[in-house]
Amino acid sequence: MGTTVDAAFIRRAVELADLNAVRVALFQHTGDPELAALPVAASLDDAGRELLIDKAVAWLETNAGPGMPDEPPETELRALMNMATAEEMPDLEFEARRELPGFNAFPWTADWTGEKPELPEGFLVAVIGSGFSGIAMGVQLELLGIPYVVLDRRAEPGGTWTVNRYPDVRVDTISITYEYSFEKNYPWSEYFGRGAEVREYLDHVSNKYGVREHTRFERDLKRASFDEMRDVWVLEVESPDGLEIIEANAIVNAVGTFANPKLPHFEGQESFTGPMIHPSRWPEDFDATGKRIAIIGNGSTGVQLLAPVAAEADQVFVFQRTPQWIAPRDKYGQAVEPEIRWLQDNFPGYWNWWRYMAIAALFGTHGYLIPDEDWKAQGGHFNPMNDKLRATLTAYIEAQTNGDEDLMSQLVPDYAPFSRRPVVDNGWYRALTSDNVELVTDGIARLTPTGVETVDGQVFDVDMIVTATGFDIIKYLWPADYVGRDGLSVHDFWSTDGPRAYLSMMAPSFPNMFMLYGPNSQPVSGGTGLPIWYVLWSAYSAQCLVRMIEEGKSRVEVKMEAFERYNTALDEESQKLLLLRDEGAPDKNYYVNEFGRMQVNAPWYGPEYQRMCSRPDWDDIDLT
Ligand code: NAP
């Protein structure tokens, strides 16, 4: 068997596993028609479950060992994917999803069309930021053999994961979907990796693929200007040794959306004598023991940090301006069992299909966002799928608060789930039922020297205030300035209605400049997990550079007409979605900027958006 585990261990492993993944991986090895005839795991009866487990245990007892199957031929792959979700997948979806099981070494990455051409002398790409997307771009450039430098203002790779170090910071999508598809089977210690482990992971990837040796830390880009005579970007970079000038043929911005904290300004703020802490500036020596603490905000951050802070603090006041839909996640906070780790290492294909199934859970999410007018006319809130989720989440709040009617009346939102970014529960509702935690829903009127005063005149005396008030998404690429053709500053270009881009990646007047996780980039639905998108955006940018180099050109720039056409269509599409409708909460949604435009999300159905981002439409792009 090639391992030292016994049959009972194997059985426990299979029982703990994702049975859909077990079924498909086993079928891939055996072609056993009985497996194909079984329904998906959620519909398995006891006999079917036993049959599947018995077959898997028997197979593993004789065949377990390391390895990964080759990608099956297309027809077989498609049949396996259809079997996994019990759905016939149309071509659009198949094309978007075929690399999700991760059988190939470097899914989605771009390559030269033939032999690698000779590069212009001194050719260099500057990647700004060494977080998830900057590292993905580095790997892409490594694969192409294009010289590059990654600049990061911080001292280590990891981007947002180095910035956010507050208690219990961790991913809120299961780690098997929050990893690169080219780095297979990473040994996460928990199902939802903690911040420190995500940092270690990014450090590992950056080292393994050679990106780290091209990364220059403590390099803060202040200004970049495009020299139209030479078609190069001139970067002014602050370093520990003073100002450095770097010239690059192209810039890839991988600076993230959540770079600038949004700090609130309350009347009397300066008079408060204790510390005010934004979670992205969490002090290393933070100690809540015996303290009275105000936490302002109940987005993903405020929700994630309440329970651990409340466990130590004397008293916590949670200031909630708008209730959120906060949902539980299966296996959140749990260690990956040794049995599952063993299965990942010794059941070839299990990792691939587990990953596929974990992502498949998001395939249908677009359905939450589209209203059903007939349903509403019959008294429904939004559409049947969304209303069902609303009922489930309402029941969850009720269970977590032990049916406390007073709390329920303050906690259940009056807008539809999925109007805003879903928030994952880290024991937030439960913490509100603790004796030392109080929910405050009256608005904040002002800060006093000793605490927070609400509009009804109540004063909450505290030692410190945590402002989990989010990030300033309107300040994209800020505070650096980018000056493109004709002396145009990107911030002037965006001053009338906020940051915009073509396909989230390019802007006219800014040749040879790409953005990863740029304006309107995050797929609103039909998700495949963000790390896949970091690779897709990198590959798109790389395809533009490849064509520019292969054709001996020095400039690649989106046409103004294409940029405007794309954004008009994007605004029209956005209007159809819950996020901008009255049933949502558009005025209280960081996805929507102060100009009333959706700014973080791409409104398109995920596979359609992926199609757009997979291959450049060369008619939209000037190459000169
Ligand atoms: P956020 O979602 O923008 O939430 C900010 C919170 O602060 C909201 O509750 C907001 O209330 C409140 N707030 C803002 N200004 C206020 C004011 N002046 N007075 C009172 N309340 C105020 O920010 P976030 O929680 O930092 O999350 C941002 C994003 O970061 C997330 O959506 C996610 O994409 C990412 N994130 C991810 C993870 C993870 O994956 N583990 C963890 C944390 C964050 P309103 O609702 O009324 O606006």
Side-chain angles (χ1 to χ4, degrees):
M1 185 156 85
T3 66
T4 53
V5 301
D6 62 15
F9 181 96
I10 296 179
R11 181 163 292 273
R12 279 202 309 281
V14 177
E15 284 174 352
L16 283 168
D18 179 323
L19 287 181
N20 281 312
V22 169
R23 185 171 69 104
V24 182
L26 193 57
F27 181 78
Q28 190 177 354
H29 290 294
T30 62
D32 179 346
E34 269 192 299
L35 292 171
L38 288 174
V40 291
S43 311
L44 275 177
D45 59 15
D46 287 348
R49 188 169 181 277
E50 276 313 298
L51 178 75
L52 173 57
I53 292 172
D54 287 347
K55 280 178 183 283
V57 172
W59 188 86
L60 286 164
E61 279 179 351
T62 45
N63 298 292
M68 180 182 294
D70 290 337
E71 184 183 45
E74 182 170 312
T75 324
E76 191 189 325
L77 175 68
R78 192 160 176 160
L80 290 169
M81 288 163 68
N82 286 340
M83 180 181 162
T85 52
E87 277 171 3
E88 282 296 317
M89 207 176 319
D91 290 347
L92 176 73
E93 282 80 355
F94 176 63
E95 279 310 316
R97 297 170 186 163
R98 59 179 302 160
E99 295 283 8
L100 293 182
F103 288 115
N104 291 316
F106 290 97
W108 295 292
T109 50
D111 203 352
W112 302 104
T113 57
E115 285 290 298
K116 179 184 167 190
E118 187 139 346
L119 298 179
E121 205 186 321
F123 192 91
L124 183 75
V125 176
V127 179
I128 315 301
S130 68
F132 249 105
S133 50
I135 293 172
M137 190 69 208
V139 172
Q140 170 66 83
L141 292 167
E142 284 285 334
L143 292 173
L144 288 167
I146 294 179
Y148 68 97
V149 61
V150 181
L151 304 173
D152 199 298
R153 66 167 81 115
R154 299 182 68 82
E156 59 179 333
T160 191
W161 295 101
T162 69
V163 173
N164 286 289
R165 292 164 186 258
Y166 57 82
D168 269 17
V169 60
R170 68 168 82 228
V171 299
D172 63 6
T173 51
I174 191 162
S175 284
I176 194 160
T177 68
Y178 199 75
E179 58 182 13
Y180 299 112
S181 43
F182 56 78
E183 176 60 18
K184 322 284 182 196
N185 202 7
Y186 189 75
W188 296 105
S189 59
E190 294 190 35
Y191 283 94
F192 292 76
R194 287 177 183 270
E197 195 169 19
V198 179
R199 283 201 296 281
E200 278 164 33
Y201 170 77
L202 289 170
D203 194 36
H204 161 76
V205 172
S206 176
N207 274 307
K208 177 172 170 179
Y209 295 92
V211 179
R212 195 173 174 131
E213 60 190 82
H214 295 270
T215 307
R216 301 183 62 203
F217 296 104
E218 299 180 303
R219 297 293 185 284
D220 192 357
L221 177 70
K222 294 293 179 194
R223 188 172 191 272
S225 46
F226 189 68
D227 180 339
E228 294 182 56
M229 302 299 288
R230 298 183 297 139
D231 288 350
V232 292
W233 281 95
V234 181
L235 284 69
E236 295 166 38
V237 179
E238 201 175 83
S239 81
D241 307 322
L243 196 68
E244 264 184 53
I245 304 294
I246 298 173
E247 293 197 344
N249 301 74
I251 292 188
V252 180
N253 280 296
V255 295
T257 292
F258 305 115
N260 299 303
K262 193 166 194 171
L263 303 171
H265 295 288
F266 299 109
E267 190 188 316
Q269 190 157 316
E270 316 68 43
S271 71
F272 179 66
T273 49
M276 283 184 77
I277 301 166
H278 189 275
S280 65
R281 307 281 183 271
W282 203 259
E284 258 180 54
D285 57 354
F286 181 88
D287 182 8
T289 320
K291 303 255 171 28
R292 295 169 65 82
I293 300 175
I295 297 180
I296 301 175
N298 56 328
S300 298
T301 306
V303 166
Q304 208 159 38
L305 60 77
L306 171 63
V309 169
E312 291 179 354
D314 193 36
Q315 174 72 44
V316 179
F317 299 105
V318 175
F319 291 85
Q320 168 190 283
R321 190 165 65 176
T322 313
Q324 294 267 16
W325 289 110
I326 303 171
R329 288 281 181 280
D330 192 26
K331 298 190 191 295
Y332 188 84
Q334 277 185 33
V336 176
E337 302 85 350
E339 288 88 346
I340 290 295
R341 188 62 246 162
W342 176 85
L343 210 60
Q344 283 184 243
D345 292 338
N346 292 285
F347 185 2
Y350 178 71
W351 172 81
N352 307 75
W353 290 109
W354 180 24
R355 178 181 162 80
Y356 185 75
M357 289 315 305
I359 297 172
L362 306 170
F363 286 170
T365 45
H366 208 73
Y368 289 115
L369 306 175
I370 312 290
D372 180 336
E373 297 304 337
D374 292 343
W375 177 258
K376 286 170 61 187
Q378 292 162 32
H381 286 292
F382 191 65
N383 71 28
M385 186 172 162
N386 193 299
D387 284 11
K388 192 171 166 204
L389 179 64
R390 187 184 194 121
T392 307
L393 294 179
T394 306
Y396 176 70
I397 301 173
E398 189 171 6
Q400 292 296 302
T401 56
N402 306 319
D404 182 324
E405 284 184 16
D406 186 37
L407 268 181
M408 288 281 290
S409 67
Q410 300 173 79
L411 291 175
V412 178
D414 60 3
Y415 57 86
F418 269 91
S419 306
R420 323 171 83 192
R421 196 226 194 228
V423 177
V424 170
D425 195 14
N426 183 31
W428 190 79
Y429 291 123
R430 248 310 158 227
L432 294 181
T433 66
S434 308
D435 289 343
N436 70 332
V437 180
E438 185 178 335
L439 178 69
V440 184
T441 55
D442 290 311
I444 297 171
R446 64 188 61 80
L447 302 191
T448 69
T450 56
V452 182
E453 186 179 328
T454 50
V455 285
D456 61 343
Q458 276 202 79
V459 177
F460 299 85
D461 281 340
V462 291
D463 303 307
M464 58 173 73
I465 300 175
V466 172
T467 53
T469 44
F471 295 85
D472 210 347
I473 56 149
I474 198 96
K475 290 185 168 154
Y476 191 69
L477 296 187
W478 190 89
D481 196 12
Y482 294 74
V483 181
R485 282 195 296 106
D486 304 321
L488 180 63
S489 155
V490 77
H491 301 301
D492 288 341
F493 181 59
W494 286 338
S495 61
T496 44
D497 50 7
R500 286 172 183 263
Y502 168 80
L503 287 175
S504 79
M505 291 181 274
M506 299 167 89
S509 299
F510 298 88
N512 301 6
M513 180 172 115
F514 302 91
M515 291 168 272
L516 314 181
Y517 209 171
N520 295 109
S521 58
Q522 185 169 300
V524 76
S525 69
T528 44
L530 273 174
I532 284 160
W533 281 91
Y534 303 138
V535 174
L536 283 164
W537 295 318
S538 299
Y540 181 98
S541 313
Q543 287 176 71
C544 291
L545 294 176
V546 159
R547 179 139 180 186
M548 183 178 92
I549 294 167
E550 287 184 339
E551 294 193 359
K553 305 281 171 57
S554 57
R555 235 188 237 198
V556 54
E557 181 179 343
V558 65
K559 294 175 182 167
M560 179 60 90
E561 175 277 319
F563 167 86
E564 283 176 347
R565 171 168 34 83
Y566 178 79
N567 276 288
T568 303
L570 184 142
D571 286 343
E572 276 172 24
E573 192 69 19
S574 306
Q575 293 297 331
K576 298 177 191 163
L577 301 181
L578 172 59
L579 284 76
L580 286 185
R581 295 171 56 96
D582 289 344
E583 301 94 328
D587 57 328
K588 303 242 185 66
N589 190 345
Y590 81 80
Y591 281 171
V592 178
N593 67 25
E594 41 252 67
F595 302 102
R597 281 192 69 245
M598 240 167 66
Q599 188 188 306
V600 174
N601 291 120
W604 324 105
Y605 172 53
E608 178 58 25
Y609 177 48
Q610 190 172 329
R611 187 194 59 72
M612 296 181 209
C613 293
S614 294
R615 305 243 170 292
D617 180 343
W618 298 112
D619 290 340
D620 287 353
I621 291 171
D622 275 330
L623 275 159
T624 50

